[in-house]
Amino acid sequence: MVKTPATAMTSSVEAVASKTASFDLQNVSVSYGSEKALEGVSFYIEPLKVTALIGPSGCGKSTLLRCFNRMNDAIDNVSVEGLIALNGQDIYAKAVDPVSLRMYVGQVFQRPNPFPLSIYDNVAFGPRTQGVRKRDELDEIVIDSLKKAALYDEVKNSLKKHAFELSGGQQQRLCIARALATKPGVLLMDEPCSALDPISTGMIEETVLHLKESMTIVMVTHNMQQAARISDTTAFLLRESIEEPATLVEVTDTTTMFTQPNDKRTENYITGRFG
């Protein structure tokens, strides 16, 4: 494969960078080797909204989420077909640098995964890789990111403390702050509260509601109440048998999804009749 110069690849991401980021998916399919895991997914992800991806285990939610920042690239036998456009730019085009893309499309994972560093160095890690070296600039980014993640007041006097000394809920908010430090336009969240207690979950949800004022958020969740509480749009994915790939059953505004779904399969899922 011909390599595109790094400067050109980076500028391709910068050219579409925006605080009102949107995704347009057209006939997206994902395969693991010869097995198709996800097929024919088409929908639009609105800017400055929370979009929830729901569905039973194994229906391709996390697989689809990883497509938005090309995390699937790390798996040798994965292939992605169709179009995923970020602000009109095909993110799988050769000119797009996946590393730069992941700075703009941040991700928070299911379990907290802070680096084995101090609180400060966790948040400063991304900006440093972007070339920020001045201490006052780093201080400003770290403080701002911790405030946006609703963690600053709890750690402001102990930024040199090792991240592993924090509680699970604090570690997850630290991971959110770390993602925010690169000033993303999109934040992907893969069941970010599944390992947390109700109080920590509430704090994460409150944080998400504030963050959507400045960025687009896509969240995978198994918690129907959580999707109903904090998402603006909900997409329901379903794999009807092990022999078939998962598909998008329907996508609509969350209120409609939970009160008047268009498909009986959606109603059965959200009312707990299966899944």
Side-chain angles (χ1 to χ4, degrees):
M1 181 183 294
V2 177
K3 294 284 187 180
T4 304
T7 53
M9 292 190 291
T10 301
S11 63
S12 180
V13 175
E14 290 173 347
V16 300
S18 167
K19 287 299 181 184
T20 55
S22 63
F23 278 104
D24 187 18
L25 284 69
Q26 298 179 21
N27 200 31
V28 174
S29 298
V30 183
S31 299
Y32 293 92
S34 60
E35 180 185 352
K36 187 163 284 189
L38 198 63
E39 184 173 46
V41 175
S42 299
F43 71 107
Y44 178 71
I45 293 177
E46 294 184 71
L48 304 182
K49 302 283 188 182
V50 178
T51 297
L53 305 181
I54 66 170
S57 297
C59 71
K61 302 183 300 296
S62 294
T63 294
L64 180 60
L65 193 76
R66 290 194 298 267
C67 290
F68 297 131
N69 63 352
R70 294 182 51 173
M71 288 294 286
N72 285 323
D73 288 11
I75 306 173
D76 291 337
N77 66 338
V78 172
S79 60
V80 179
E81 300 173 342
L83 174 68
I84 301 178
L86 170 61
N87 295 344
Q89 166 74 50
D90 179 4
I91 66 170
Y92 283 85
K94 290 182 180 179
V96 174
D97 174 24
V99 175
S100 297
L101 175 68
R102 290 168 198 148
M103 292 287 185
Y104 182 69
V105 184
Q107 183 163 358
V108 177
F109 297 90
Q110 184 172 358
R111 293 186 177 277
N113 62 340
F115 298 146
L117 303 168
S118 69
I119 295 169
Y120 184 99
D121 288 337
N122 261 271
V123 183
F125 187 89
R128 282 172 173 152
T129 63
Q130 292 176 317
V132 180
R133 293 289 180 267
K134 293 182 179 179
R135 182 70 186 207
D136 58 342
E137 289 183 36
L138 286 171
D139 288 350
E140 184 178 350
I141 292 170
V142 169
I143 292 171
D144 182 61
S145 300
L146 288 169
K147 285 181 177 179
K148 288 179 178 176
L151 184 59
Y152 181 69
D153 287 343
E154 297 169 41
V155 302
K156 61 184 177 182
N157 296 320
S158 54
L159 295 179
K160 293 183 179 179
K161 179 187 289 188
H162 198 287
F164 292 172
E165 295 181 52
L166 299 175
S167 68
Q170 289 175 322
Q171 287 186 18
Q172 191 67 305
R173 281 181 283 144
L174 176 62
C175 292
I176 292 174
R178 186 179 67 196
L180 297 178
T182 60
K183 302 188 185 305
V186 182
L187 185 62
L188 309 178
M189 309 185 85
D190 194 353
E191 295 189 70
C193 304
S194 64
L196 304 181
D197 61 85
I199 293 176
S200 296
T201 295
M203 296 182 76
I204 297 289
E205 290 182 1
E206 194 68 30
T207 299
V208 169
L209 290 173
H210 287 297
L211 290 177
K212 78 170 185 176
E213 297 175 3
S214 60
M215 67 187 62
T216 302
I217 298 174
V218 186
M219 174 186 288
V220 169
T221 181
H222 276 108
N223 187 323
M224 296 301 95
Q225 290 77 21
Q226 182 174 76
R229 281 193 298 267
I230 68 173
S231 70
D232 301 288
T233 303
T234 301
F236 174 50
L237 298 164
L238 181 64
R239 188 171 193 168
E240 300 207 61
S241 74
I242 196 169
E243 294 83 13
E244 298 177 275
T247 60
L248 177 66
V249 175
E250 65 176 296
V251 56
T252 187
D253 69 273
T254 297
T255 300
T256 300
M257 177 75 77
F258 282 89
T259 58
Q260 294 180 312
N262 292 322
D263 194 291
K264 187 67 175 178
R265 294 169 295 177
T266 309
E267 180 182 349
N268 288 341
Y269 179 71
I270 63 178
T271 55
R273 293 175 188 169
F274 74 87

